[in-house]
Amino acid sequence: GPNSMMMALMASGFNGQSFTFSGYLPIEQTERKNKIIQLESFAKKNHTQLFMDTPFRNMKTLEELLKYCKPDTLLCIACNLMAKEEFICTKSIADWKKIKPDLHKKPCIFILGK
């Protein structure tokens, strides 16, 4: 819910004064790619971008972020918030490419920031 968005934003280390929650990414492939590129461009201007996807699409979303975002872009993944196996981590896209967490069927929030 809304509290998880705020918790993820606070834990990300990104700008909490200027941010947008974009909800779910589009389903259609070209629209998804364009939306990711747009969100990244806003994030590079220090306007933090929060979004999510359905739990069964999280791995696809992560793969697309790694494919379409620049290596120096920062991505925070906040997963299973308030659960025993909570996971919140901010890394560059280049670093996420080295270690991909298992996000399948887990509630996640993705945050792009500067």
Side-chain angles (χ1 to χ4, degrees):
N3 288 339
S4 64
M5 297 300 157
M6 296 312 296
M7 286 177 52
L9 178 60
M10 289 185 293
S12 72
F14 296 145
N15 183 0
Q17 297 297 312
S18 179
F19 66 91
T20 299
F21 172 64
S22 296
Y24 292 94
L25 293 178
I27 295 172
E28 196 276 317
Q29 186 60 40
T30 303
E31 289 178 35
R32 280 176 75 85
K33 177 182 177 181
N34 291 339
K35 185 66 172 182
I36 288 169
I37 292 168
Q38 178 189 45
L39 294 173
E40 180 186 34
S41 72
F42 291 144
K44 293 282 188 179
K45 295 175 184 166
N46 204 27
H47 189 90
T48 305
Q49 301 296 306
L50 291 85
F51 55 97
M52 56 195 287
D53 216 325
T54 59
F56 68 88
R57 270 199 302 258
N58 283 337
M59 292 306 294
K60 177 182 177 188
T61 300
L62 178 58
E63 290 295 330
E64 291 169 334
L65 289 165
L66 299 180
K67 181 177 179 179
Y68 301 130
C69 292
K70 295 175 177 68
D72 66 333
T73 296
L74 294 176
L75 169 65
C76 176
I77 300 173
C79 185
N80 281 326
L81 293 177
M82 302 296 288
K84 191 168 44 172
E85 56 281 334
E86 178 180 87
F87 171 82
I88 303 171
C89 189
T90 301
K91 297 181 181 191
S92 69
I93 293 295
D95 287 338
W96 280 117
K97 287 182 179 182
K98 297 173 190 172
I99 299 175
K100 297 177 198 164
D102 178 16
L103 307 175
H104 186 62
K105 292 189 176 180
K106 297 175 184 174
C108 293
I109 299 163
F110 299 92
I111 309 173
L112 294 172
K114 181 175 175 183

